[in-house]
Amino acid sequence: MTEIVKGDENLFLALGFPPHEAEILQLRADLMGQLRLWIQDSGLTQADAAERLGVTQARVSDLVRGKWKKFSLDMLLTLAAKVGMHFRLELSRAA
């Protein structure tokens, strides 16, 4: 049976990851998505984006292709900050 995951739900929970791991994976996926949009909206080539981010073109390729296993949350936050993205960590207790 195929399970449909709504846009506001955590895909990684649906894939069977433990809740604590799914939260981090979702954060990483969201950040990667925002960085991909930044590259797209800026009209940058991967080489130009790599220069601005201070990484190799191969790393940008991994980012654009959604290879989330290759990026830590810390690395993604660093890249987001380098391009002027602002973020705030909001914590809440599980119900």
Side-chain angles (χ1 to χ4, degrees):
M1 183 174 148
T2 302
E3 181 178 347
I4 296 174
V5 178
K6 295 179 185 174
D8 61 344
E9 293 178 4
N10 188 317
L11 170 66
F12 298 99
L13 276 175
L15 291 173
F17 285 90
H20 66 281
E21 193 173 341
E23 287 292 328
I24 299 299
L25 291 172
Q26 188 64 55
L27 284 171
R28 286 166 51 192
D30 291 346
L31 276 167
M32 288 182 80
Q34 289 301 312
L35 286 163
R36 279 194 306 270
L37 284 174
W38 171 79
I39 293 167
Q40 179 182 342
D41 292 347
S42 299
L44 298 171
T45 65
Q46 288 187 6
D48 291 336
E51 188 174 321
R52 288 204 188 169
L53 292 167
V55 298
T56 65
Q57 184 273 326
R59 291 292 279 163
V60 172
S61 178
D62 289 339
L63 179 80
V64 170
R65 295 170 132 211
K67 295 187 176 184
W68 55 270
K69 290 183 179 183
K70 293 190 173 196
F71 292 89
S72 67
L73 182 57
D74 185 53
M75 172 57 103
L76 292 166
L77 288 169
T78 299
L79 295 176
K82 281 184 177 185
V83 299
M85 291 182 189
H86 300 282
F87 41 85
R88 178 181 37 205
L89 179 63
E90 184 178 316
L91 303 172
S92 62
R93 294 181 184 231

